[in-house]
């Protein structure tokens, strides 16, 4: 059974810092990996989707990488802003979607 | 498209009552997922459908839980009888062939 782990569980940084969130998974036979953002009391918003054949995807200040062989993905956030404060979840898809527990990010003004 | 639509947004019910959660996936998506989110356990996959057929229901916690997808545009998750420990946020997500998942806003269930 696929297990997804996210480190750190929580992160607090001052505004403007660049930061990296980590996601690891145990079964490398995945179709894709997806990063989501969840605001308190809200649903999940898809940020980036990386297909298994891809190494990275970029959207604005966000960059996600995928190393399937080592079972790792990172989400890089450049020049963090208070509006980036949320919980970030990664999910891996190998016939179903399994989520990590998330990283709760706080960006302080 | 309005996205994945879940109803109700909030449900408060008494222990022992039947609860039905509803989901309308995005038109054209052929996979549908039901998740439960709690503080203790995070997001757990309950069941998923592919082309209206249940593929994996191993995440359904007990026989009190059942899910149906009678057609491509509608799915239900039913809990009968409900218990306080079922209190959680239940999410529905749909995915096209490209497998990018889109989530609904969730149903917050409170069983008292």
């Amino acid at each position: 059974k696929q297990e997804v782990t996210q480190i750190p569980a929580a992160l607090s940084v001052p505004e403007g810092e660049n930061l990296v969130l980590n996601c690891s998974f145990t079964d490398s036979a995945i179709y894709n990996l997806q990063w989501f953002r969840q605001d308190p009391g809200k649903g999940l918003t898809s940020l980036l989707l990386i297909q298994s054949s891809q190494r990275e995807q970029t959207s604005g200040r966000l960059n996600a990488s995928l190393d399937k062989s080592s079972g790792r993905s990172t989400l890089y956030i450049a020049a963090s802003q208070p509006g980036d404060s949320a919980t970030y979840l990664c999910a891996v898809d190998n016939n179903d979607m399994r989520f990590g527990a998330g990283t709760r990010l706080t960006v302080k003004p | 498209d309005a996205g994945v639509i879940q109803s109700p947004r909030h449900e408060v019910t008494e222990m022992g009552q039947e609860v039905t959660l509803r989901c309308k996936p995005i038109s054209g998506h052929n996979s549908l997922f039901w998740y439960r989110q709690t503080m203790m356990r995070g997001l757990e996959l309950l069941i998923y459908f592919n082309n209206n057929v249940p593929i994996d229901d191993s995440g359904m916690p007990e026989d009190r839980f059942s899910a149906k997808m009678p057609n491509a545009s509608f799915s239900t998750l039913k809990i009968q009888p409900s218990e306080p420990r079922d209190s959680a946020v239940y999410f529905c997500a749909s995915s096209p062939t490209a497998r990018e998942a889109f989530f609904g806003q969730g149903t917050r269930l409170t069983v008292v």
Side-chain angles (χ1 to χ4, degrees), chain A residues 80-97:
Chain A
S80 58
Q81 303 171 358
D84 295 332
S85 299
T87 297
Y88 291 81
L89 297 124
C90 72
V92 295
D93 181 359
N94 45 356
N95 279 329
D96 57 28
M97 279 181 51

Side-chain angles (χ1 to χ4, degrees), chain A residues 34 38 46 93 95 97 99, chain B residues 35 37 48 99-101 103:
Chain A
Q34 198 167 354
Q38 186 175 29
S46 178
D93 181 359
N95 279 329
M97 279 181 51
F99 280 80
Chain B
Y35 289 89
Q37 187 175 38
Y48 80 98
R99 306 182 76 92
E100 181 175 7
F103 277 74

Side-chain angles (χ1 to χ4, degrees), chain B residues 23-103:
Chain B
C23 176
K24 182 181 187 303
I26 294 173
S27 177
H29 285 193
N30 59 357
S31 295
L32 183 141
F33 306 81
W34 281 102
Y35 289 89
R36 176 172 68 176
Q37 187 175 38
T38 61
M39 289 289 291
M40 292 294 294
R41 300 168 73 96
L43 267 165
E44 300 174 282
L45 177 66
L46 299 177
I47 184 171
Y48 80 98
F49 295 84
N50 197 39
N51 294 322
N52 312 339
V53 176
I55 302 300
D56 184 354
D57 65 354
S58 59
M60 297 284 263
E62 300 172 34
D63 291 345
R64 298 184 295 107
F65 286 68
S66 62
K68 293 183 180 179
M69 192 164 186
N71 56 61
S73 60
F74 184 65
S75 177
T76 59
L77 177 68
K78 186 175 293 187
I79 308 172
Q80 165 65 19
S82 57
E83 297 182 3
R85 59 195 169 113
D86 301 332
S87 298
V89 180
Y90 291 81
F91 286 103
C92 173
S94 71
S95 175
T97 305
R99 306 182 76 92
E100 181 175 7
F102 296 83
F103 277 74

Side-chain angles (χ1 to χ4, degrees), chain A residues 59-107:
Chain A
S59 176
R61 293 182 295 108
L62 304 180
N63 175 278
S65 68
L66 174 64
D67 184 343
K68 207 171 67 162
S69 60
S70 68
R72 295 177 190 276
S73 175
T74 61
L75 178 66
Y76 175 81
I77 303 176
S80 58
Q81 303 171 358
D84 295 332
S85 299
T87 297
Y88 291 81
L89 297 124
C90 72
V92 295
D93 181 359
N94 45 356
N95 279 329
D96 57 28
M97 279 181 51
R98 302 285 173 172
F99 280 80
T103 294
R104 189 172 63 256
L105 173 65
T106 303
V107 181

